[in-house]
Amino acid sequence: MEPGFDIVKAGHIEFLVTDLQEARRFYADTLGLVVTETDRSHIYLRGLEDRHHHCLTLTESGAPGVGHLAFRVATEAGLKALEGVVRAKGGYTKWVEAGEEKGQGKALITEDPFGFPVEFYTKMADEEWMLQKFQSYKGAKVMRLDHFNVMLPDVAAAYDWYVKELGFGCTEITETEGLTPDLWAAWLRRKHTCHDIALTTGKGPRVHHAGFTVADRSSIMDAADLLASSGYLRSMERGPGRHGVSNAFFLYLRDPDGNRIELYTGDYVSADPDWVPIRWKLNDPQRQTFWGAPTPASWFNDAMAVRSPKTGKFAELTSPRIKDRPDYLLSAN
Amino acid sequence: MEPGFDIVKAGHIEFLVTDLQEARRFYADTLGLVVTETDRSHIYLRGLEDRHHHCLTLTESGAPGVGHLAFRVATEAGLKALEGVVRAKGGYTKWVEAGEEKGQGKALITEDPFGFPVEFYTKMADEEWMLQKFQSYKGAKVMRLDHFNVMLPDVAAAYDWYVKELGFGCTEITETEGLTPDLWAAWLRRKHTCHDIALTTGKGPRVHHAGFTVADRSSIMDAADLLASSGYLRSMERGPGRHGVSNAFFLYLRDPDGNRIELYTGDYVSADPDWVPIRWKLNDPQRQTFWGAPTPASWFNDAMAVRSPKTGKFAELTSPRIKDRPDYLLSAN
Amino acid sequence: MEPGFDIVKAGHIEFLVTDLQEARRFYADTLGLVVTETDRSHIYLRGLEDRHHHCLTLTESGAPGVGHLAFRVATEAGLKALEGVVRAKGGYTKWVEAGEEKGQGKALITEDPFGFPVEFYTKMADEEWMLQKFQSYKGAKVMRLDHFNVMLPDVAAAYDWYVKELGFGCTEITETEGLTPDLWAAWLRRKHTCHDIALTTGKGPRVHHAGFTVADRSSIMDAADLLASSGYLRSMERGPGRHGVSNAFFLYLRDPDGNRIELYTGDYVSADPDWVPIRWKLNDPQRQTFWGAPTPASWFNDAMAVRSPKTGKFAELTSPRIKDRPDYLLSAN
Amino acid sequence: MEPGFDIVKAGHIEFLVTDLQEARRFYADTLGLVVTETDRSHIYLRGLEDRHHHCLTLTESGAPGVGHLAFRVATEAGLKALEGVVRAKGGYTKWVEAGEEKGQGKALITEDPFGFPVEFYTKMADEEWMLQKFQSYKGAKVMRLDHFNVMLPDVAAAYDWYVKELGFGCTEITETEGLTPDLWAAWLRRKHTCHDIALTTGKGPRVHHAGFTVADRSSIMDAADLLASSGYLRSMERGPGRHGVSNAFFLYLRDPDGNRIELYTGDYVSADPDWVPIRWKLNDPQRQTFWGAPTPASWFNDAMAVRSPKTGKFAELTSPRIKDRPDYLLSAN
């Protein structure tokens, strides 16, 4: 019960992009993420609320996908403890020296038991807080990274890993219908929001999206207008709308390489340690979009490949044993 | 050029409903229209901004549809002049005595040359302005009637009627593709907004929807949340979203009988007499929803039957000579 | 009753500024008005909703103030008719040739019977509509000029001029307390909004402010944040807040020269020709700000000098016979 | 460093009111807090986001003020540990049996070393989550209790108590000017928001206000409109506006007894354990209201008396050694 480490929050994510300048136009010029630093093959970005070096790294690469996702950990001792926990479950680990990832201290890169490239880190260089530099606000006015959403064949096993081994709390779940429902998805948190990571059933390991917080619904509406008149009409995959799960207001976007992010606002504070998970049935039409709008098939079909820190290649995919989408979408296809 | 009458604005509309109490729960209790007066078979409603008796009449009836739509005219002399104009074009006219429609003075009911039941009226009883009685705001906080949208086979002929005979200005049009495009739809105004009436191509005469103004985008988002948790999930047919045409923010609703209204906000001021109509192509994916979201087929298939003031029966329908929807919807069906 | 002219709306205003680049930084770079054209001593700006050349001219000058305010008139014949009306009341008139004011056709400049430099014009060059070019939105996202607010000693006389001679409708008035109240202020309109011009009692002739429409309350909040972090903290003179009169949401700003504008949104449609003016008492604490916040003394003390088209000098000021502010402000000073 | 207890968050507060029905009209009928339970002398209220019995208790009493404020603690063992910590510092403690306060389990009431009636509790009865019952939203749509703001003479000492003994993190501070600045105020948190409690310098012990979260800025604007038209014009003491400290959007209200609450929205996530406190100078004009609007004197003069759990009487007040307000307010008085 005393893990020896304290995971703070979803910290940052590395997106692989095939054209760094196209990606910059999307994330920085249009959505308004702040460029902290660049080099020949990377752009390091942070949100207006961030006080650290980056929450999103864009890395030029031959194919799109996710290089790694990272959780911030309270202490360096915690990183060492995590090394043991990951290895005990058969995961791969490797130390990353301070500065190897720009702005970051010594870190632990792992391939977790489910094949995800997960980094744990403690130190990140301080950067100027732009929260009250309103003259630098633009586009969607992205505040900060909020969460990761990952897709994998066995959510129940990953739930145990995150909750029992890594100490996450569960705020909401989705289960299948029937007498003996399967756990289909789970929303898990360390910081006091709806989630730091969501686990959903599907062919995996893949990252479904990274969620970025914006200030309010108006920011999302304004972003939709802006994208629609800036040549990004086809980037808007789903929304704007209200979620059932999380109660947040959302807009899902595909970047020029097809990588997916969510603009997200208005979930709740989940500080209570005895929080009883909210339960949803997979087929509930209000679960995904509270207003009942159907989710496009691409939302279930497409997700981002993850690059193995062990092999440097994209992870092989496994299909789930149980259905990977609601029945109303199965029948529509 | 001097018509002898001055049409002020879209004034009110009469919806036929099969269950008055169900309709009241939708329009008054949920959407927040203000009940001015009721009798056994009618509910007279007004918006928070209205200073007159009603902008929407609900009339209990064996079948849903539209009893009449009405334009306010500046003077009683204007009504007399309009009688002549309608008759000259072969339309039917009949005088409605003061009080025959509750709250209304002497009026002219017509069946216009296209089969629509159109009333012209001048006097309407004054009622309390609720605009700054914020304690009476609820639901979607409907401010006022904004416009009618009607569907008929020959938009070009109706355009001539409204613009050349009735003195409307044109703010926007939609035309078909090709070298010799057909006029597919037109947005026409008397008051200084985008429109008082829109004419669109389809099987008709039918009324497609009545548009009601709300204060802002937040009101529309709040209305969607409210409807979704009040048993009206299936009432939300299309939106919320941003229109291409009119630039307004919208949500389309079907009442318990299937009658259609629009919650509408944020168009522009069109006071300039030399306004050059904005032109859209029918197949432009941003024309209807600026964010590119496709319009459901029901939006082109369904519209409200109109009751003839001459026969008391619903008007027979005629199909248009030209296509009644964009190509991407034709092929999707 | 048939005036021979048809005033369309408040069209544009010329502000005199002592430093053109400072003024540009305020109006264009910060508030987001669109620069249509510049020359050595002028910047011509329009709003995002405007389809014509300018609604605001900044003219470099030795002292701040107002060069002229202008109403758009439907026809050139109307300009000629207006020349007669102004002269009949002892006003001064002079023709301005097409192009003399950039983008504008032939116009009539007058010094009206109350000493205001009022221009009437018909033609204005067409410009690109930015309304759906959301990528060009910035700052307060100013949509268009809405109204002028002028200060003069005899509001009752000016009311007669605008209503009886120029054909304006009256939407709201403020009167003094007591058995025989004086008309203290009036809100008058040609287009179908709350007003094109407001007349208020005070030392005059002076222009109190020009009101510019923004899309919604969020735009005003965002503008306040932006101004506060862009070195314009002291520019925010009053608000944000809700008006009693007009029901609009507002923020009053002073430009670097002290010229005053209002960011304004959310009034009502006033198309009805029989609109009964809303009546307010001068001492009603909710009249100016519906939430009861007191108005600063500067709001009653300061207004913009007007330059006489006849003499080229600033108009001499006359004090009103009646009090120029509510009692609660008289006693506070 | 291992305290044996884990304070979760600001949990609830008890306001003493002289007229229970007047208080209900304000908090429930107008602001929209949800009534969970009532008895002859109490009303127990919760927010739309709350899943527990109450975050605000109204207790009928001969004089207004605060009965107690309460922090939720993760475990019952933690309550026992807290008893020791409070006693070690000379505080008074007393056990409250389960059910003695409606809906609450066994709890520890204390008079802390600074004279504040602070309760620690663990269990609170579960109640229905109204977050997605949008049909029950009304008024200001209050989501949850966010924080307490207390006034006392020695902020530095209370800072040590909260940070070193109770384990709070510090997000922002205000210090006086000069070479050896005094700590004038501190914002402290357990949950991952800007604060659970703020300590400010003034005559004390008194509670300055309780802050309640609302969904967004629109909710605050709507609340101001509603209060202004519901007979609560004088209840609006300060705002709406943007805070410097916390960056939140706010409106301060006085209830019919003068007790003060804040409607609050839009601060940041403070999960990082190495958060470096944001520093403000007391005289910075943007510290309290980012837009520079001056704070009324009542804000520094008035605060709520606290009732001693030991004596049942209101605590005696001590004045601070250092100034209790910014210089610009000292000179204005």
Side-chain angles (χ1 to χ4, degrees):
Chain A
M1 195 49 64
E2 171 53 50
F5 56 84
D6 178 9
I7 295 176
V8 175
K9 63 173 187 181
H12 63 267
I13 192 164
E14 180 193 21
F15 276 5
L16 309 177
V17 300
T18 61
D19 184 326
L20 208 49
Q21 290 322 305
E22 275 305 298
R24 181 185 183 123
R25 192 171 87 83
F26 183 75
Y27 288 105
D29 301 347
T30 305
L31 293 180
L33 280 150
V34 179
V35 177
T36 299
E37 190 174 354
T38 63
D39 61 26
R40 262 215 339 212
S41 53
H42 301 89
I43 302 174
Y44 300 89
L45 299 149
R46 67 187 196 279
L48 295 160
E49 189 181 312
D50 284 322
R51 303 180 73 190
H52 290 123
H53 189 272
H54 60 270
C55 67
L56 175 64
T57 304
L58 304 173
T59 298
E60 197 153 57
S61 180
V66 169
H68 68 278
L69 51 87
F71 292 103
R72 189 159 198 230
V73 176
T75 62
E76 283 209 29
L79 300 182
K80 189 75 192 155
L82 278 158
E83 183 186 29
V85 172
V86 173
R87 289 198 174 200
K89 290 285 168 181
Y92 164 87
T93 67
K94 185 175 70 172
W95 288 97
V96 179
E97 290 311 306
E100 209 171 313
E101 179 173 329
K102 283 237 169 66
Q104 187 180 258
K106 188 177 174 180
L108 182 74
I109 183 84
T110 75
E111 186 170 297
D112 81 5
F114 309 93
F116 288 98
V118 176
E119 188 181 51
F120 298 98
Y121 71 105
T122 297
K123 294 264 185 273
M124 178 73 87
D126 294 336
E127 296 292 339
E128 187 184 9
W129 206 32
M130 309 306 279
L131 190 62
Q132 294 186 326
K133 308 263 184 271
F134 292 98
Q135 67 276 39
S136 62
Y137 279 39
K138 67 180 173 183
K141 306 177 206 163
V142 176
M143 289 289 147
R144 56 177 176 78
L145 176 69
D146 184 74
H147 63 263
F148 312 122
N149 182 305
V150 301
M151 196 178 253
L152 78 169
D154 189 349
V155 163
Y159 174 93
D160 282 351
W161 169 247
Y162 275 99
V163 172
K164 296 184 186 160
E165 303 291 334
L166 300 188
F168 282 67
C170 178
T171 53
E172 309 204 25
I173 65 160
T174 296
E175 57 189 12
T176 57
E177 280 69 26
L179 271 178
T180 56
D182 288 302
L183 181 65
W184 193 85
W187 284 257
L188 308 175
R189 66 96 180 156
R190 284 295 305 168
K191 72 178 183 310
H192 299 162
T193 61
C194 173
H195 59 316
D196 288 292
I197 188 164
L199 313 170
T200 62
T201 296
K203 204 182 289 180
R206 292 186 293 171
V207 174
H208 189 272
H209 67 265
F212 291 88
T213 298
V214 299
D216 53 21
R217 297 183 301 185
S218 292
S219 301
I220 287 183
M221 300 296 135
D222 290 348
D225 287 338
L226 174 65
L227 289 159
S229 63
S230 303
Y232 291 115
L233 190 63
R234 303 184 69 105
S235 290
M236 290 186 281
E237 185 185 25
R238 183 182 157 212
R242 166 86 64 190
H243 278 308
V245 175
S246 84
N247 198 47
F249 204 82
F250 70 89
L251 174 64
Y252 286 100
L253 304 177
R254 308 295 291 267
D255 80 6
D257 278 303
N259 297 312
R260 187 189 281 114
I261 65 165
E262 179 183 14
L263 302 179
Y264 178 91
T265 193
D267 60 359
Y268 45 80
V269 169
S270 67
D272 290 306
D274 58 349
W275 182 277
V276 180
I278 310 293
R279 300 177 92 82
W280 297 86
K281 286 290 179 184
L282 179 56
N283 285 343
D284 183 337
Q286 295 191 267
R287 184 185 72 89
Q288 289 193 288
T289 301
F290 192 70
W291 305 337
T295 302
S298 65
W299 208 84
F300 292 95
N301 295 335
D302 302 352
M304 293 176 273
V306 296
R307 197 175 55 190
S308 165
K310 194 158 54 176
T311 67
K313 296 187 180 155
F314 286 120
E316 306 260 322
L317 302 185
T318 306
S319 289
R321 201 179 37 79
I322 62 174
K323 65 187 170 188
D324 71 348
R325 63 196 70 193
D327 293 342
Y328 52 84
L329 276 164
L330 284 167
S331 55
N333 288 342
Chain B
M1 196 47 65
E2 172 52 51
F5 57 85
D6 179 9
I7 295 177
V8 175
K9 63 174 186 180
H12 64 266
I13 191 164
E14 180 192 21
F15 276 5
L16 308 179
V17 299
T18 61
D19 184 326
L20 209 49
Q21 290 322 307
E22 275 305 298
R24 181 185 183 123
R25 192 170 88 82
F26 183 75
Y27 288 106
D29 301 348
T30 304
L31 293 181
L33 280 151
V34 179
V35 176
T36 299
E37 189 174 356
T38 63
D39 62 27
R40 258 207 351 202
S41 54
H42 301 87
I43 302 176
Y44 299 90
L45 299 148
R46 70 187 194 278
L48 294 159
E49 190 181 311
D50 284 323
R51 303 180 73 190
H52 290 123
H53 190 272
H54 60 270
C55 67
L56 175 63
T57 304
L58 304 174
T59 298
E60 197 153 56
S61 179
V66 168
H68 68 278
L69 52 87
F71 292 102
R72 189 159 199 232
V73 176
T75 62
E76 282 208 31
L79 301 182
K80 189 75 191 153
L82 278 158
E83 184 186 27
V85 172
V86 174
R87 289 197 174 201
K89 289 285 169 179
Y92 164 88
T93 66
K94 184 175 70 172
W95 288 97
V96 179
E97 289 311 306
E100 208 171 316
E101 178 172 328
K102 284 236 169 67
Q104 186 180 260
K106 187 175 175 181
L108 181 75
I109 184 84
T110 74
E111 185 170 299
D112 80 4
F114 310 93
F116 288 98
V118 176
E119 188 182 51
F120 298 98
Y121 71 105
T122 297
K123 294 264 185 270
M124 177 73 86
D126 294 336
E127 297 292 337
E128 187 184 9
W129 206 32
M130 310 307 280
L131 189 63
Q132 294 186 327
K133 307 263 184 271
F134 292 99
Q135 68 275 39
S136 62
Y137 279 40
K138 66 179 173 183
K141 306 177 206 163
V142 175
M143 288 290 146
R144 58 177 175 77
L145 176 70
D146 185 74
H147 63 263
F148 312 122
N149 182 305
V150 301
M151 196 178 252
L152 77 169
D154 189 350
V155 163
Y159 174 92
D160 283 351
W161 168 247
Y162 275 99
V163 172
K164 296 184 185 158
E165 302 293 331
L166 301 188
F168 283 67
C170 178
T171 54
E172 309 204 23
I173 66 160
T174 296
E175 57 190 12
T176 56
E177 281 68 27
L179 271 177
T180 56
D182 288 301
L183 181 65
W184 192 87
W187 284 258
L188 309 174
R189 65 94 181 160
R190 284 295 304 168
K191 73 179 181 311
H192 299 161
T193 60
C194 173
H195 60 317
D196 289 290
I197 189 163
L199 313 171
T200 63
T201 296
K203 205 182 288 181
R206 292 186 294 172
V207 174
H208 189 272
H209 66 265
F212 291 87
T213 297
V214 299
D216 52 23
R217 295 182 302 183
S218 292
S219 301
I220 286 183
M221 300 295 135
D222 291 347
D225 287 337
L226 174 65
L227 289 158
S229 63
S230 302
Y232 292 114
L233 191 63
R234 303 183 71 104
S235 291
M236 290 187 281
E237 184 183 25
R238 182 182 157 213
R242 166 84 65 191
H243 278 309
V245 174
S246 82
N247 198 46
F249 204 81
F250 70 89
L251 174 63
Y252 286 98
L253 303 177
R254 308 293 291 267
D255 79 7
D257 278 301
N259 296 313
R260 187 189 282 112
I261 66 165
E262 180 183 16
L263 302 180
Y264 178 93
T265 192
D267 60 358
Y268 45 79
V269 169
S270 67
D272 289 306
D274 58 349
W275 183 276
V276 179
I278 310 292
R279 301 176 91 83
W280 297 87
K281 285 291 179 184
L282 178 57
N283 285 344
D284 184 337
Q286 296 192 266
R287 184 185 71 89
Q288 289 193 288
T289 301
F290 191 70
W291 306 336
T295 302
S298 64
W299 207 83
F300 293 95
N301 295 335
D302 303 351
M304 294 176 273
V306 297
R307 198 175 55 191
S308 164
K310 193 158 55 175
T311 68
K313 297 188 179 153
F314 286 121
E316 306 259 322
L317 302 185
T318 306
S319 288
R321 202 177 36 77
I322 62 173
K323 64 186 170 189
D324 71 348
R325 64 196 69 191
D327 294 341
Y328 53 85
L329 276 164
L330 283 167
S331 55
N333 287 344
Chain C
M1 195 49 62
E2 172 52 50
F5 57 83
D6 179 9
I7 295 176
V8 175
K9 63 174 186 181
H12 63 267
I13 192 165
E14 180 193 21
F15 276 4
L16 309 178
V17 299
T18 61
D19 184 327
L20 208 51
Q21 290 323 306
E22 276 305 298
R24 181 184 183 124
R25 192 171 87 83
F26 183 76
Y27 288 105
D29 301 348
T30 305
L31 294 180
L33 281 151
V34 179
V35 176
T36 299
E37 190 174 356
T38 62
D39 62 27
R40 260 214 342 210
S41 53
H42 301 88
I43 302 175
Y44 299 89
L45 299 149
R46 68 187 196 278
L48 294 159
E49 189 181 311
D50 283 323
R51 304 180 74 189
H52 290 123
H53 190 272
H54 59 270
C55 67
L56 174 64
T57 304
L58 304 173
T59 298
E60 197 153 56
S61 179
V66 169
H68 69 278
L69 51 87
F71 293 103
R72 190 160 198 232
V73 176
T75 61
E76 283 209 28
L79 300 182
K80 189 76 192 154
L82 277 158
E83 183 187 28
V85 172
V86 174
R87 289 200 173 199
K89 289 285 169 182
Y92 164 88
T93 67
K94 184 174 71 172
W95 288 96
V96 178
E97 290 311 306
E100 208 171 316
E101 179 172 329
K102 284 239 169 63
Q104 185 180 259
K106 187 176 174 181
L108 182 75
I109 182 84
T110 75
E111 185 171 298
D112 80 3
F114 308 93
F116 288 99
V118 176
E119 187 181 53
F120 298 99
Y121 71 105
T122 297
K123 293 264 186 272
M124 177 74 86
D126 293 336
E127 297 292 337
E128 189 184 8
W129 205 32
M130 310 305 281
L131 190 62
Q132 294 185 327
K133 308 263 184 272
F134 293 98
Q135 67 276 39
S136 62
Y137 279 40
K138 65 180 173 184
K141 306 175 205 163
V142 176
M143 288 290 146
R144 58 178 174 78
L145 175 70
D146 185 75
H147 63 263
F148 312 121
N149 182 305
V150 301
M151 196 178 252
L152 76 169
D154 189 350
V155 163
Y159 175 93
D160 282 351
W161 168 248
Y162 274 100
V163 172
K164 296 184 186 160
E165 303 292 333
L166 300 188
F168 282 68
C170 178
T171 54
E172 309 204 25
I173 65 160
T174 296
E175 57 190 11
T176 56
E177 281 68 27
L179 271 178
T180 56
D182 288 301
L183 181 65
W184 192 86
W187 283 258
L188 308 175
R189 66 95 181 156
R190 283 296 303 170
K191 72 179 181 312
H192 299 162
T193 61
C194 173
H195 60 316
D196 288 291
I197 189 165
L199 313 171
T200 61
T201 296
K203 205 182 287 182
R206 293 187 293 171
V207 174
H208 189 272
H209 66 265
F212 291 88
T213 297
V214 299
D216 52 22
R217 295 182 303 183
S218 292
S219 301
I220 286 183
M221 299 296 135
D222 290 348
D225 287 337
L226 175 64
L227 289 160
S229 63
S230 302
Y232 292 114
L233 190 64
R234 304 184 70 104
S235 290
M236 290 187 280
E237 184 184 25
R238 182 181 157 213
R242 166 84 66 191
H243 278 309
V245 174
S246 83
N247 198 48
F249 203 82
F250 69 89
L251 174 63
Y252 286 99
L253 304 176
R254 309 293 291 268
D255 79 7
D257 278 302
N259 296 312
R260 187 188 282 112
I261 66 165
E262 180 182 15
L263 302 180
Y264 178 92
T265 192
D267 60 359
Y268 46 79
V269 169
S270 66
D272 290 306
D274 58 350
W275 181 277
V276 179
I278 310 292
R279 301 177 91 83
W280 297 87
K281 286 291 180 182
L282 178 57
N283 285 343
D284 184 337
Q286 295 191 266
R287 184 185 72 90
Q288 289 193 290
T289 302
F290 191 69
W291 304 338
T295 302
S298 64
W299 207 84
F300 292 96
N301 295 335
D302 302 353
M304 293 177 273
V306 296
R307 197 175 55 191
S308 164
K310 194 159 54 176
T311 68
K313 297 188 180 155
F314 286 121
E316 306 259 323
L317 302 185
T318 307
S319 289
R321 201 179 37 78
I322 62 173
K323 65 186 170 189
D324 71 348
R325 64 196 70 191
D327 294 342
Y328 51 84
L329 276 164
L330 283 169
S331 55
N333 287 344
Chain D
M1 197 46 67
E2 171 52 52
F5 57 84
D6 180 8
I7 295 176
V8 175
K9 63 174 185 181
H12 63 268
I13 192 165
E14 180 193 20
F15 275 4
L16 309 179
V17 299
T18 61
D19 184 326
L20 209 49
Q21 290 322 306
E22 276 304 298
R24 182 185 183 123
R25 193 170 87 82
F26 182 75
Y27 287 105
D29 301 349
T30 305
L31 293 181
L33 280 151
V34 179
V35 176
T36 299
E37 190 174 354
T38 62
D39 61 26
R40 259 211 345 206
S41 53
H42 301 89
I43 301 175
Y44 300 89
L45 299 148
R46 69 186 194 280
L48 294 159
E49 190 180 312
D50 284 322
R51 303 180 73 190
H52 289 123
H53 191 271
H54 60 270
C55 68
L56 175 64
T57 304
L58 304 173
T59 298
E60 197 154 54
S61 179
V66 169
H68 68 278
L69 50 88
F71 291 103
R72 189 158 199 232
V73 176
T75 62
E76 283 210 27
L79 301 182
K80 190 74 192 154
L82 278 158
E83 183 187 27
V85 173
V86 173
R87 288 198 174 202
K89 288 285 168 182
Y92 164 88
T93 66
K94 184 175 71 173
W95 288 96
V96 178
E97 290 311 305
E100 209 170 315
E101 179 171 329
K102 283 237 170 66
Q104 187 180 259
K106 187 176 173 181
L108 181 75
I109 183 85
T110 74
E111 186 170 297
D112 81 5
F114 309 94
F116 287 98
V118 176
E119 189 181 51
F120 298 99
Y121 72 104
T122 296
K123 294 265 185 269
M124 177 73 88
D126 293 337
E127 298 291 338
E128 188 185 9
W129 205 32
M130 310 305 281
L131 190 62
Q132 294 185 327
K133 309 263 185 271
F134 292 98
Q135 67 276 38
S136 62
Y137 279 40
K138 66 179 172 183
K141 307 177 205 163
V142 175
M143 288 290 146
R144 56 176 176 78
L145 175 70
D146 185 74
H147 63 263
F148 311 122
N149 182 305
V150 301
M151 197 178 252
L152 78 168
D154 189 349
V155 163
Y159 175 92
D160 282 351
W161 168 248
Y162 274 99
V163 171
K164 296 183 185 160
E165 302 292 332
L166 300 188
F168 283 66
C170 178
T171 53
E172 310 204 23
I173 65 160
T174 297
E175 58 190 11
T176 55
E177 279 69 26
L179 271 177
T180 56
D182 289 302
L183 181 65
W184 193 86
W187 284 257
L188 308 175
R189 66 94 180 158
R190 285 295 305 170
K191 72 179 182 313
H192 299 161
T193 60
C194 173
H195 59 319
D196 288 291
I197 188 163
L199 313 170
T200 62
T201 295
K203 207 182 286 181
R206 292 186 294 171
V207 174
H208 189 272
H209 66 265
F212 291 88
T213 298
V214 299
D216 54 20
R217 295 182 302 185
S218 292
S219 301
I220 286 183
M221 300 295 134
D222 290 348
D225 287 338
L226 174 64
L227 289 159
S229 63
S230 302
Y232 292 115
L233 190 63
R234 303 184 70 105
S235 290
M236 290 187 281
E237 184 184 24
R238 184 182 156 211
R242 165 85 65 192
H243 278 308
V245 174
S246 84
N247 199 46
F249 204 82
F250 70 89
L251 174 63
Y252 287 99
L253 303 177
R254 309 294 291 268
D255 79 6
D257 278 302
N259 296 313
R260 186 189 282 113
I261 65 165
E262 180 181 15
L263 302 180
Y264 179 92
T265 192
D267 60 359
Y268 45 78
V269 169
S270 66
D272 290 306
D274 59 349
W275 181 277
V276 179
I278 310 292
R279 301 176 91 84
W280 297 88
K281 286 290 179 183
L282 179 57
N283 284 344
D284 183 337
Q286 295 191 265
R287 185 185 70 90
Q288 289 193 289
T289 301
F290 191 71
W291 304 337
T295 303
S298 64
W299 207 84
F300 292 95
N301 295 334
D302 302 352
M304 293 177 273
V306 296
R307 198 175 55 190
S308 165
K310 194 158 56 176
T311 66
K313 298 188 179 154
F314 285 121
E316 306 260 322
L317 302 185
T318 306
S319 289
R321 202 177 37 76
I322 61 174
K323 65 186 171 189
D324 71 348
R325 65 197 67 192
D327 294 341
Y328 52 84
L329 276 163
L330 283 168
S331 55
N333 288 344

